[in-house]
Amino acid sequence: MENKISFKDLNLIPPLERALTKQKYTVPTPIQSKSIPGLLQGEDLIGIAQTGTGKTAAFILPILQRMREKYPRKIKTLVITPTRELAAQIGESFSAYGEFLKFKHTVIFGGVGQGKQVRVLSSGVDILVATPGRLLDLMNQGIINLKDVEFFVLDEADRMLDMGFINDVKKIISKLPLKRQSLFFSATMSPEINKLAKTLLKNPIHVEVTPQATTVERIKQCIFFVDPSAKEKLLFELLKQEHLTSVLVFTRTKHKANKLASFLSKNNISADAIHGNKSQNARTKAISDFKTGKTKVLVATDIAARGIDIENISHVINFELPNEPESYVHRIGRTARAGADGTAYSFCAAEERNYLRDIERLIKQKIEVNNHTFHSEIAQNAVGAAAKPAPKNKRQFSRNAKYGDGPKNTQKNKKPFSKNVKSGNRPKRSFRR
Ligand code: AMP
Protein backbone atom coordinates (compact mmCIF):
# COMPACT_ATOMS: atom_id res chain seq x y z
CA MET A 1 0.00 0.00 0.00
CA GLU A 2 2.72 2.45 0.98
CA ASN A 3 4.66 0.85 -1.83
CA LYS A 4 4.74 3.57 -4.50
CA ILE A 5 7.85 2.42 -6.35
CA SER A 6 7.33 1.05 -9.83
CA PHE A 7 9.50 -1.55 -11.56
CA LYS A 8 10.96 1.28 -13.68
CA ASP A 9 12.46 2.84 -10.54
CA LEU A 10 14.38 -0.35 -9.83
CA ASN A 11 16.57 0.03 -12.91
CA LEU A 12 16.25 -3.49 -14.10
CA ILE A 13 17.82 -4.45 -17.40
CA PRO A 14 15.51 -4.67 -20.44
CA PRO A 15 15.37 -8.50 -20.63
CA LEU A 16 14.06 -8.56 -17.07
CA GLU A 17 11.61 -5.71 -17.68
CA ARG A 18 10.35 -7.61 -20.66
CA ALA A 19 9.83 -10.75 -18.59
CA LEU A 20 7.94 -8.78 -15.95
CA THR A 21 5.70 -7.27 -18.58
CA LYS A 22 5.02 -10.74 -19.85
CA GLN A 23 4.11 -11.84 -16.32
CA LYS A 24 1.83 -8.77 -16.14
CA TYR A 25 3.55 -7.50 -13.00
CA THR A 26 3.27 -3.74 -12.83
CA VAL A 27 4.16 -2.83 -9.26
CA PRO A 28 6.83 -4.50 -7.14
CA THR A 29 5.61 -6.10 -3.93
CA PRO A 30 7.00 -4.58 -0.69
CA ILE A 31 9.72 -7.22 -0.35
CA GLN A 32 10.77 -6.58 -3.93
CA SER A 33 10.99 -2.82 -3.64
CA LYS A 34 12.81 -3.08 -0.32
CA SER A 35 15.30 -5.77 -1.36
CA ILE A 36 16.11 -5.27 -5.01
CA PRO A 37 18.06 -1.97 -4.79
CA GLY A 38 20.47 -3.29 -2.12
CA LEU A 39 20.81 -6.65 -3.81
CA LEU A 40 21.72 -4.96 -7.07
CA GLN A 41 24.53 -3.26 -5.15
CA GLY A 42 25.85 -6.68 -4.12
CA GLU A 43 24.74 -6.55 -0.49
CA ASP A 44 23.84 -9.57 1.61
CA LEU A 45 20.27 -9.79 2.75
CA ILE A 46 18.21 -11.24 5.54
CA GLY A 47 14.58 -11.31 4.52
CA ILE A 48 11.79 -12.16 6.93
CA ALA A 49 9.05 -13.05 4.56
CA GLN A 50 6.95 -16.03 3.70
CA THR A 51 5.90 -17.53 0.43
CA GLY A 52 3.17 -15.45 -1.17
CA THR A 53 4.95 -12.13 -0.63
CA GLY A 54 6.77 -12.14 -3.96
CA LYS A 55 10.09 -13.06 -2.35
CA THR A 56 11.12 -15.35 -5.19
CA ALA A 57 11.24 -12.52 -7.72
CA ALA A 58 12.89 -10.37 -5.03
CA PHE A 59 15.95 -12.58 -5.16
CA ILE A 60 15.82 -13.92 -8.72
CA LEU A 61 15.65 -10.56 -10.49
CA PRO A 62 18.77 -9.00 -8.96
CA ILE A 63 20.72 -12.24 -9.25
CA LEU A 64 19.88 -12.54 -12.94
CA GLN A 65 20.89 -8.93 -13.41
CA ARG A 66 24.24 -9.37 -11.67
CA MET A 67 25.23 -12.69 -13.15
CA ARG A 68 27.66 -12.66 -16.03
CA GLU A 69 27.70 -15.17 -18.83
CA LYS A 70 30.75 -17.41 -18.77
CA TYR A 71 31.50 -20.51 -20.77
CA PRO A 72 31.76 -23.36 -20.09
CA ARG A 73 28.84 -22.93 -17.75
CA LYS A 74 29.60 -23.34 -14.04
CA ILE A 75 27.20 -23.14 -11.10
CA LYS A 76 27.31 -19.44 -10.23
CA THR A 77 24.01 -19.29 -8.37
CA LEU A 78 22.88 -21.82 -5.80
CA VAL A 79 19.44 -21.73 -4.22
CA ILE A 80 18.62 -24.24 -1.51
CA THR A 81 15.11 -24.76 -0.32
CA PRO A 82 13.53 -27.35 1.98
CA THR A 83 10.88 -28.98 -0.21
CA ARG A 84 10.78 -30.42 -3.68
CA GLU A 85 7.67 -28.48 -4.58
CA LEU A 86 9.25 -25.22 -3.61
CA ALA A 87 12.39 -26.12 -5.55
CA ALA A 88 10.29 -26.84 -8.63
CA GLN A 89 8.45 -23.56 -8.27
CA ILE A 90 11.66 -21.59 -7.93
CA GLY A 91 12.88 -23.34 -11.07
CA GLU A 92 9.73 -22.22 -12.87
CA SER A 93 10.32 -18.68 -11.68
CA PHE A 94 13.87 -18.75 -13.08
CA SER A 95 12.37 -19.85 -16.40
CA ALA A 96 9.80 -17.05 -16.31
CA TYR A 97 12.01 -14.15 -15.18
CA GLY A 98 15.04 -15.34 -17.11
CA GLU A 99 13.21 -16.06 -20.33
CA PHE A 100 15.02 -13.32 -22.25
CA LEU A 101 18.46 -14.08 -20.83
CA LYS A 102 20.76 -16.91 -21.78
CA PHE A 103 21.34 -18.56 -18.41
CA LYS A 104 20.63 -22.19 -17.91
CA HIS A 105 19.22 -23.53 -14.69
CA THR A 106 18.21 -26.87 -13.29
CA VAL A 107 16.38 -28.19 -10.26
CA ILE A 108 17.43 -31.21 -8.24
CA PHE A 109 15.65 -32.95 -5.39
CA GLY A 110 15.41 -36.38 -3.82
CA GLY A 111 12.71 -38.98 -4.23
CA VAL A 112 13.40 -39.46 -7.92
CA GLY A 113 16.28 -41.12 -9.74
CA GLN A 114 19.42 -39.02 -10.07
CA GLY A 115 20.32 -40.05 -13.64
CA LYS A 116 18.44 -37.32 -15.47
CA GLN A 117 19.57 -34.67 -12.99
CA VAL A 118 23.20 -35.74 -13.39
CA ARG A 119 22.97 -35.57 -17.19
CA VAL A 120 21.68 -32.00 -17.10
CA LEU A 121 24.32 -31.01 -14.56
CA SER A 122 27.13 -32.45 -16.62
CA SER A 123 25.97 -30.51 -19.65
CA GLY A 124 26.68 -27.36 -17.57
CA VAL A 125 24.30 -25.02 -15.71
CA ASP A 126 24.62 -21.48 -14.39
CA ILE A 127 21.94 -21.79 -11.75
CA LEU A 128 21.15 -24.70 -9.46
CA VAL A 129 18.04 -24.95 -7.32
CA ALA A 130 18.26 -27.84 -4.87
CA THR A 131 16.96 -29.48 -1.76
CA PRO A 132 19.80 -30.12 0.69
CA GLY A 133 19.76 -33.93 0.77
CA ARG A 134 20.15 -34.52 -2.96
CA LEU A 135 22.62 -31.67 -3.28
CA LEU A 136 24.90 -33.15 -0.62
CA ASP A 137 24.53 -36.56 -2.16
CA LEU A 138 25.73 -35.33 -5.54
CA MET A 139 28.48 -33.26 -3.93
CA ASN A 140 29.71 -36.35 -2.11
CA GLN A 141 29.72 -38.26 -5.37
CA GLY A 142 31.88 -35.54 -6.90
CA ILE A 143 29.18 -34.61 -9.41
CA ILE A 144 28.59 -31.13 -8.05
CA ASN A 145 31.26 -28.66 -7.08
CA LEU A 146 30.34 -25.33 -5.52
CA LYS A 147 33.65 -23.53 -5.98
CA ASP A 148 32.31 -21.12 -8.60
CA VAL A 149 29.22 -20.03 -6.65
CA GLU A 150 28.90 -16.25 -6.50
CA PHE A 151 25.28 -15.98 -5.37
CA PHE A 152 23.81 -18.14 -2.64
CA VAL A 153 20.20 -18.16 -1.49
CA LEU A 154 19.00 -20.03 1.56
CA ASP A 155 15.24 -20.12 1.32
CA GLU A 156 12.75 -20.92 4.10
CA ALA A 157 15.48 -21.24 6.71
CA ASP A 158 12.99 -21.86 9.51
CA ARG A 159 11.57 -24.86 7.67
CA MET A 160 15.08 -26.14 7.05
CA LEU A 161 15.58 -26.23 10.80
CA ASP A 162 12.14 -27.69 11.42
CA MET A 163 12.74 -30.46 8.94
CA GLY A 164 16.08 -31.41 10.42
CA PHE A 165 18.20 -30.13 7.53
CA ILE A 166 20.43 -27.89 9.62
CA ASN A 167 23.52 -30.09 9.50
CA ASP A 168 23.16 -30.62 5.78
CA VAL A 169 22.81 -26.88 5.30
CA LYS A 170 25.92 -26.20 7.35
CA LYS A 171 27.91 -28.73 5.33
CA ILE A 172 26.78 -27.10 2.11
CA ILE A 173 27.67 -23.63 3.37
CA SER A 174 31.14 -24.84 4.37
CA LYS A 175 31.83 -25.72 0.73
CA LEU A 176 30.92 -22.31 -0.65
CA PRO A 177 33.57 -19.79 -1.63
CA LEU A 178 33.98 -17.05 0.96
CA LYS A 179 33.62 -14.35 -1.66
CA ARG A 180 29.96 -14.47 -2.56
CA GLN A 181 26.67 -12.65 -2.12
CA SER A 182 24.37 -14.44 0.31
CA LEU A 183 20.63 -14.09 0.75
CA PHE A 184 18.76 -15.62 3.62
CA PHE A 185 14.99 -15.93 3.84
CA SER A 186 12.88 -17.13 6.70
CA ALA A 187 9.19 -16.76 7.51
CA THR A 188 9.92 -16.47 11.22
CA MET A 189 12.81 -15.33 13.33
CA SER A 190 14.20 -17.15 16.36
CA PRO A 191 17.55 -17.16 18.15
CA GLU A 192 18.51 -20.31 16.25
CA ILE A 193 17.66 -18.75 12.90
CA ASN A 194 19.56 -15.63 13.86
CA LYS A 195 22.63 -17.69 14.71
CA LEU A 196 22.51 -19.45 11.37
CA ALA A 197 22.07 -16.15 9.55
CA LYS A 198 25.12 -14.70 11.32
CA THR A 199 27.33 -17.54 10.15
CA LEU A 200 26.29 -16.87 6.59
CA LEU A 201 25.90 -13.16 6.04
CA LYS A 202 28.18 -10.14 6.03
CA ASN A 203 26.56 -6.83 7.07
CA PRO A 204 23.24 -7.84 5.60
CA ILE A 205 20.39 -5.51 4.86
CA HIS A 206 17.33 -6.47 6.88
CA VAL A 207 14.01 -6.57 5.15
CA GLU A 208 10.91 -7.64 6.94
CA VAL A 209 7.48 -7.88 5.45
CA THR A 210 4.60 -8.94 7.60
CA PRO A 211 2.02 -10.38 5.32
CA GLN A 212 0.31 -12.24 8.14
CA ALA A 213 -1.99 -9.42 9.14
CA THR A 214 -2.79 -8.31 5.62
CA THR A 215 -3.20 -11.84 4.31
CA VAL A 216 -5.34 -12.78 7.25
CA GLU A 217 -7.43 -9.63 6.90
CA ARG A 218 -8.23 -10.38 3.27
CA ILE A 219 -9.42 -13.89 3.99
CA LYS A 220 -12.95 -14.56 5.11
CA GLN A 221 -12.60 -16.93 8.02
CA CYS A 222 -15.20 -19.11 9.72
CA ILE A 223 -15.13 -21.61 12.54
CA PHE A 224 -17.35 -24.66 12.51
CA PHE A 225 -17.64 -26.21 15.96
CA VAL A 226 -18.22 -29.87 15.33
CA ASP A 227 -17.79 -33.24 17.02
CA PRO A 228 -15.03 -35.38 15.49
CA SER A 229 -17.56 -38.00 14.37
CA ALA A 230 -19.47 -35.43 12.30
CA LYS A 231 -16.48 -33.83 10.56
CA GLU A 232 -16.65 -35.96 7.43
CA LYS A 233 -20.37 -35.33 6.98
CA LEU A 234 -19.85 -31.61 7.45
CA LEU A 235 -17.03 -31.59 4.92
CA PHE A 236 -19.15 -33.46 2.42
CA GLU A 237 -22.07 -31.04 2.86
CA LEU A 238 -19.80 -28.04 2.38
CA LEU A 239 -18.11 -29.48 -0.69
CA LYS A 240 -21.44 -30.02 -2.39
CA GLN A 241 -21.86 -26.26 -2.63
CA GLU A 242 -21.04 -24.87 -6.03
CA HIS A 243 -18.97 -21.89 -4.99
CA LEU A 244 -16.40 -24.17 -3.41
CA THR A 245 -14.59 -24.66 -6.69
CA SER A 246 -11.05 -25.48 -5.72
CA VAL A 247 -10.53 -26.56 -2.14
CA LEU A 248 -7.38 -27.30 -0.20
CA VAL A 249 -8.16 -29.41 2.86
CA PHE A 250 -5.63 -29.74 5.67
CA THR A 251 -5.21 -32.69 7.98
CA ARG A 252 -2.58 -33.24 10.62
CA THR A 253 -1.54 -36.71 9.50
CA LYS A 254 -0.79 -38.52 6.27
CA HIS A 255 -3.14 -41.31 7.26
CA LYS A 256 -6.02 -38.88 7.68
CA ALA A 257 -5.19 -37.19 4.37
CA ASN A 258 -5.44 -40.53 2.57
CA LYS A 259 -8.58 -41.50 4.39
CA LEU A 260 -10.34 -38.25 3.57
CA ALA A 261 -9.34 -38.26 -0.08
CA SER A 262 -10.72 -41.77 -0.54
CA PHE A 263 -13.89 -40.92 1.42
CA LEU A 264 -14.51 -37.99 -0.92
CA SER A 265 -13.70 -39.94 -4.08
CA LYS A 266 -16.12 -42.66 -3.01
CA ASN A 267 -18.75 -39.98 -2.65
CA ASN A 268 -18.17 -38.62 -6.13
CA ILE A 269 -16.15 -35.58 -5.18
CA SER A 270 -12.89 -35.60 -7.11
CA ALA A 271 -10.10 -35.57 -4.56
CA ASP A 272 -6.46 -36.43 -4.16
CA ALA A 273 -4.01 -36.42 -1.27
CA ILE A 274 -0.44 -35.17 -1.03
CA HIS A 275 1.99 -35.99 1.70
CA GLY A 276 5.52 -37.19 2.19
CA ASN A 277 4.75 -40.87 1.67
CA LYS A 278 3.64 -40.28 -1.90
CA SER A 279 6.15 -40.57 -4.67
CA GLN A 280 7.34 -37.37 -6.29
CA ASN A 281 5.48 -38.27 -9.47
CA ALA A 282 2.25 -38.85 -7.59
CA ARG A 283 2.61 -35.52 -5.84
CA THR A 284 3.38 -33.64 -9.03
CA LYS A 285 0.39 -35.22 -10.72
CA ALA A 286 -1.93 -34.46 -7.79
CA ILE A 287 -0.85 -30.81 -7.79
CA SER A 288 -1.16 -30.49 -11.54
CA ASP A 289 -4.65 -32.10 -11.57
CA PHE A 290 -5.69 -29.71 -8.83
CA LYS A 291 -4.25 -26.71 -10.66
CA THR A 292 -6.07 -27.55 -13.86
CA GLY A 293 -9.34 -28.20 -12.04
CA LYS A 294 -9.40 -31.91 -12.80
CA THR A 295 -9.67 -32.53 -9.07
CA LYS A 296 -11.75 -30.23 -6.94
CA VAL A 297 -10.20 -31.14 -3.61
CA LEU A 298 -6.61 -31.58 -2.59
CA VAL A 299 -6.08 -32.99 0.90
CA ALA A 300 -2.68 -32.13 2.29
CA THR A 301 -0.53 -32.23 5.38
CA ASP A 302 1.27 -29.05 6.44
CA ILE A 303 4.68 -29.76 5.05
CA ALA A 304 3.40 -31.21 1.78
CA ALA A 305 1.47 -28.04 1.17
CA ARG A 306 4.17 -25.71 2.32
CA GLY A 307 5.12 -23.23 -0.33
CA ILE A 308 2.86 -24.66 -2.97
CA ASP A 309 1.85 -21.78 -5.12
CA ILE A 310 -1.52 -22.53 -6.61
CA GLU A 311 -3.59 -19.63 -7.75
CA ASN A 312 -7.36 -19.63 -7.57
CA ILE A 313 -7.83 -21.79 -4.53
CA SER A 314 -11.34 -20.73 -3.54
CA HIS A 315 -11.35 -22.28 -0.07
CA VAL A 316 -8.98 -23.68 2.49
CA ILE A 317 -10.61 -26.06 4.94
CA ASN A 318 -8.84 -26.98 8.13
CA PHE A 319 -10.34 -30.39 8.74
CA GLU A 320 -8.13 -30.49 11.80
CA LEU A 321 -6.67 -27.40 13.42
CA PRO A 322 -2.89 -27.23 13.53
CA ASN A 323 -1.38 -27.28 17.00
CA GLU A 324 1.04 -24.51 16.11
CA PRO A 325 -0.89 -21.32 15.48
CA GLU A 326 1.61 -20.09 12.85
CA SER A 327 0.65 -23.06 10.70
CA TYR A 328 -2.90 -21.74 10.62
CA VAL A 329 -1.65 -18.53 9.04
CA HIS A 330 0.45 -20.45 6.54
CA ARG A 331 -2.42 -22.73 5.67
CA ILE A 332 -5.06 -20.10 5.11
CA GLY A 333 -2.55 -17.98 3.18
CA ARG A 334 -2.81 -20.56 0.38
CA THR A 335 -6.14 -19.06 -0.55
CA ALA A 336 -5.20 -15.44 -0.96
CA ARG A 337 -2.35 -15.60 -3.42
CA ALA A 338 -1.01 -12.50 -5.09
CA GLY A 339 -3.73 -10.17 -3.94
CA ALA A 340 -6.73 -12.46 -4.44
CA ASP A 341 -9.39 -12.89 -1.77
CA GLY A 342 -10.25 -16.26 -0.31
CA THR A 343 -12.19 -18.13 2.32
CA ALA A 344 -10.95 -20.36 5.10
CA TYR A 345 -13.18 -22.73 7.04
CA SER A 346 -11.88 -24.40 10.16
CA PHE A 347 -13.40 -27.35 11.93
CA CYS A 348 -12.92 -27.30 15.65
CA ALA A 349 -13.77 -30.20 17.96
CA ALA A 350 -13.74 -29.89 21.74
CA GLU A 351 -10.20 -31.25 21.96
CA GLU A 352 -8.98 -28.58 19.54
CA ARG A 353 -10.57 -25.71 21.43
CA ASN A 354 -7.27 -24.58 22.93
CA TYR A 355 -5.60 -24.59 19.52
CA LEU A 356 -8.29 -22.20 18.37
CA ARG A 357 -7.62 -19.93 21.34
CA ASP A 358 -3.92 -19.85 20.45
CA ILE A 359 -4.75 -19.06 16.82
CA GLU A 360 -7.08 -16.22 17.74
CA ARG A 361 -4.43 -14.83 20.07
CA LEU A 362 -1.84 -14.91 17.27
CA ILE A 363 -4.00 -13.30 14.61
CA LYS A 364 -5.45 -10.91 17.14
CA GLN A 365 -9.01 -11.49 16.09
CA LYS A 366 -12.01 -13.63 16.96
CA ILE A 367 -13.00 -15.85 14.08
CA GLU A 368 -16.66 -15.78 13.14
CA VAL A 369 -18.63 -18.86 14.19
CA ASN A 370 -20.77 -20.55 11.57
CA ASN A 371 -24.11 -21.90 12.70
CA HIS A 372 -24.45 -25.14 10.78
CA THR A 373 -26.46 -28.37 11.01
CA PHE A 374 -23.72 -30.24 12.83
CA HIS A 375 -22.91 -27.45 15.27
CA SER A 376 -21.52 -28.76 18.57
CA GLU A 377 -22.12 -26.73 21.72
CA ILE A 378 -19.78 -29.08 23.53
CA ALA A 379 -16.94 -28.15 21.19
CA GLN A 380 -17.73 -24.44 21.38
CA ASN A 381 -17.83 -24.36 25.17
CA ALA A 382 -15.00 -26.77 25.93
CA VAL A 383 -12.59 -25.55 28.60
CA GLY A 384 -9.90 -27.07 30.77
CA ALA A 385 -9.07 -30.72 30.11
CA ALA A 386 -11.90 -31.06 27.60
CA ALA A 387 -10.32 -28.39 25.42
CA LYS A 388 -7.11 -30.36 24.94
CA PRO A 389 -6.31 -33.57 23.11
CA ALA A 390 -6.20 -35.33 26.48
CA PRO A 391 -4.64 -38.80 26.64
CA LYS A 392 -0.93 -38.38 27.05
CA ASN A 393 0.20 -41.25 24.86
CA LYS A 394 -2.06 -40.25 22.06
CA ARG A 395 -0.95 -36.66 22.36
CA GLN A 396 2.68 -37.53 22.02
CA PHE A 397 1.90 -39.64 19.03
CA SER A 398 -0.03 -36.96 17.27
CA ARG A 399 2.54 -34.31 18.08
CA ASN A 400 5.02 -36.32 16.11
CA ALA A 401 2.68 -37.48 13.47
CA LYS A 402 1.47 -34.02 12.58
CA TYR A 403 4.50 -33.15 10.55
CA GLY A 404 4.26 -36.38 8.74
CA ASP A 405 6.32 -35.32 5.76
CA GLY A 406 9.76 -34.50 7.02
CA PRO A 407 12.82 -35.66 5.18
CA LYS A 408 13.23 -39.37 5.09
CA ASN A 409 16.10 -41.20 6.70
CA THR A 410 17.78 -38.17 8.19
CA GLN A 411 19.74 -38.72 11.34
CA LYS A 412 17.54 -36.28 13.17
CA ASN A 413 14.55 -38.42 12.56
CA LYS A 414 16.04 -41.40 14.21
CA LYS A 415 14.64 -40.50 17.58
CA PRO A 416 12.96 -42.92 19.97
CA PHE A 417 9.58 -41.72 18.82
CA SER A 418 10.11 -42.70 15.24
CA LYS A 419 9.35 -46.24 16.27
CA ASN A 420 5.77 -45.15 16.58
CA VAL A 421 5.51 -43.25 13.40
CA LYS A 422 6.64 -44.72 10.14
CA SER A 423 8.81 -42.11 8.54
CA GLY A 424 9.50 -38.50 8.48
CA ASN A 425 8.93 -36.89 11.84
CA ARG A 426 10.43 -33.59 12.22
CA PRO A 427 12.30 -32.75 15.36
CA LYS A 428 10.60 -30.45 17.78
CA ARG A 429 11.30 -26.76 17.63
CA SER A 430 13.18 -26.21 20.79
CA PHE A 431 12.44 -22.49 20.98
CA ARG A 432 8.73 -22.97 20.88
CA ARG A 433 8.25 -25.25 23.81
P1 AMP B 1 6.32 -15.86 -4.02
O1 AMP B 1 6.16 -15.27 -2.64
O2 AMP B 1 7.62 -15.58 -4.60
O3 AMP B 1 5.97 -17.33 -3.98
O4 AMP B 1 5.23 -15.17 -4.98
C1 AMP B 1 3.86 -15.29 -4.77
C2 AMP B 1 3.07 -15.05 -6.03
O5 AMP B 1 3.07 -13.67 -6.36
C3 AMP B 1 3.56 -15.79 -7.25
O6 AMP B 1 2.43 -16.34 -7.89
C4 AMP B 1 4.17 -14.72 -8.14
O7 AMP B 1 4.04 -15.05 -9.48
C5 AMP B 1 3.37 -13.49 -7.76
N1 AMP B 1 4.12 -12.22 -7.87
C6 AMP B 1 5.40 -12.00 -7.52
N2 AMP B 1 5.73 -10.71 -7.72
C7 AMP B 1 4.63 -10.09 -8.19
C8 AMP B 1 4.33 -8.74 -8.57
N3 AMP B 1 5.24 -7.77 -8.48
N4 AMP B 1 3.10 -8.48 -9.02
C9 AMP B 1 2.16 -9.46 -9.09
N5 AMP B 1 2.36 -10.74 -8.74
C10 AMP B 1 3.58 -11.05 -8.28
Side-chain angles (χ1 to χ4, degrees):
M1 267 155 258
E2 84 282 5
N3 187 43
K4 293 195 192 88
I5 294 180
S6 83
F7 275 116
K8 284 259 170 291
D9 302 317
L10 294 177
N11 296 322
L12 293 170
I13 51 177
L16 293 178
E17 286 192 336
R18 214 174 135 198
L20 292 173
T21 308
K22 193 162 169 196
Q23 295 298 313
K24 302 197 174 66
Y25 296 175
T26 46
V27 184
T29 66
I31 184 123
Q32 291 163 2
S33 54
K34 287 179 188 171
S35 311
I36 292 175
L39 291 176
L40 286 175
Q41 298 299 317
E43 300 202 63
D44 281 3
L45 172 115
I46 177 160
I48 308 301
Q50 51 177 259
T51 303
T53 53
K55 73 178 158 88
T56 318
F59 67 76
I60 291 184
L61 293 169
I63 288 178
L64 287 177
Q65 178 143 339
R66 282 174 53 78
M67 260 170 73
R68 294 284 163 257
E69 279 177 49
K70 260 189 232 157
Y71 296 92
R73 294 177 194 276
K74 300 264 171 63
I75 300 167
K76 292 186 281 295
T77 294
L78 173 68
V79 181
I80 56 170
T81 186
T83 69
R84 309 153 188 190
E85 283 78 14
L86 212 44
Q89 269 169 33
I90 294 172
E92 283 169 22
S93 299
F94 270 109
S95 302
Y97 308 138
E99 184 180 348
F100 304 106
L101 289 162
K102 291 201 183 105
F103 300 116
K104 208 173 135 196
H105 72 268
T106 196
V107 180
I108 60 166
F109 43 71
V112 292
Q114 69 173 49
K116 206 168 141 200
Q117 297 175 356
V118 172
R119 275 195 298 280
V120 180
L121 284 164
S122 47
S123 70
V125 296
D126 305 287
I127 299 155
L128 178 63
V129 183
T131 53
R134 177 56 56 95
L135 173 60
L136 262 186
D137 231 12
L138 297 184
M139 283 164 65
N140 291 338
Q141 293 176 49
I143 295 165
I144 291 178
N145 188 320
L146 301 181
K147 72 176 178 28
D148 296 291
V149 170
E150 293 169 32
F151 306 96
F152 173 62
V153 182
L154 174 55
D155 193 25
E156 306 241 341
D158 50 352
R159 278 292 128 164
M160 293 278 197
L161 294 185
D162 286 350
M163 292 172 74
F165 284 140
I166 180 73
N167 287 333
D168 287 356
V169 169
K170 283 184 178 161
K171 275 185 211 149
I172 293 164
I173 293 172
S174 74
K175 301 288 179 207
L176 292 171
L178 289 177
K179 192 172 172 308
R180 57 167 199 257
Q181 186 176 10
S182 301
L183 288 63
F184 181 102
F185 290 93
S186 184
T188 53
M189 229 357 182
S190 69
E192 222 177 340
I193 297 281
N194 216 352
K195 208 169 128 199
L196 181 64
K198 276 196 178 136
T199 62
L200 186 68
L201 305 167
K202 288 190 198 120
N203 302 323
I205 38 173
H206 285 250
V207 174
E208 186 163 353
V209 291
T210 45
Q212 273 101 332
T214 46
T215 311
V216 169
E217 274 161 21
R218 270 209 319 272
I219 299 169
K220 182 170 157 26
Q221 299 165 69
C222 273
I223 282 289
F224 293 71
F225 288 109
V226 56
D227 293 331
S229 60
K231 280 188 173 183
E232 286 190 359
K233 276 181 263 170
L234 171 60
L235 180 67
F236 181 62
E237 288 305 314
L238 288 171
L239 290 173
K240 281 200 299 198
Q241 300 174 53
E242 267 179 14
H243 66 284
L244 277 81
T245 50
S246 185
V247 186
L248 183 58
V249 176
F250 281 98
T251 61
R252 275 205 300 271
T253 65
K254 296 182 256 196
H255 173 68
K256 191 78 203 175
N258 280 339
K259 205 168 151 250
L260 264 190
S262 65
F263 161 76
L264 294 173
S265 304
K266 276 187 202 133
N267 286 285
N268 298 322
I269 292 177
S270 55
D272 222 330
I274 51 164
H275 52 67
N277 277 7
K278 295 239 165 183
S279 71
Q280 182 56 31
N281 286 347
R283 286 206 225 183
T284 310
K285 182 169 183 315
I287 291 172
S288 132
D289 286 349
F290 185 55
K291 272 187 180 171
T292 58
K294 201 169 156 200
T295 41
K296 169 173 168 154
V297 183
L298 188 63
V299 190
T301 54
D302 283 292
I303 284 185
R306 171 85 190 180
I308 293 175
D309 185 17
I310 303 173
E311 283 174 25
N312 306 326
I313 291 176
S314 69
H315 292 70
V316 164
I317 298 183
N318 291 307
F319 188 84
E320 293 164 319
L321 284 181
N323 51 359
E324 295 201 5
E326 291 86 353
S327 296
Y328 174 81
V329 178
H330 285 141
R331 286 178 176 191
I332 71 167
R334 307 293 102 204
T335 182
R337 313 297 285 167
D341 291 331
T343 305
Y345 295 154
S346 299
F347 296 179
C348 179
E351 62 181 35
E352 296 168 297
R353 195 66 185 81
N354 277 356
Y355 296 159
L356 177 60
R357 292 197 178 98
D358 290 345
I359 289 166
E360 291 185 328
R361 211 168 291 145
L362 176 79
I363 63 173
K364 300 192 180 73
Q365 70 183 73
K366 279 257 170 236
I367 306 174
E368 190 188 314
V369 178
N370 186 294
N371 223 340
H372 57 100
T373 332
F374 305 100
H375 177 77
S376 163
E377 286 287 320
I378 296 175
Q380 181 160 17
N381 298 321
V383 286
K388 297 183 211 162
K392 266 196 184 130
N393 294 341
K394 263 195 177 169
R395 176 111 196 262
Q396 285 178 335
F397 178 86
S398 68
R399 264 190 178 191
N400 279 267
K402 73 188 169 153
Y403 289 107
D405 308 37
K408 289 178 184 128
N409 307 324
T410 62
Q411 289 306 316
K412 287 252 172 174
N413 287 332
K414 289 181 185 146
K415 297 224 157 158
F417 261 147
S418 53
K419 276 191 183 152
N420 291 337
V421 187
K422 267 180 231 139
S423 69
N425 304 326
R426 63 170 214 172
K428 274 193 269 176
R429 275 183 161 189
S430 52
F431 61 91
R432 281 256 169 82
R433 292 183 232 279

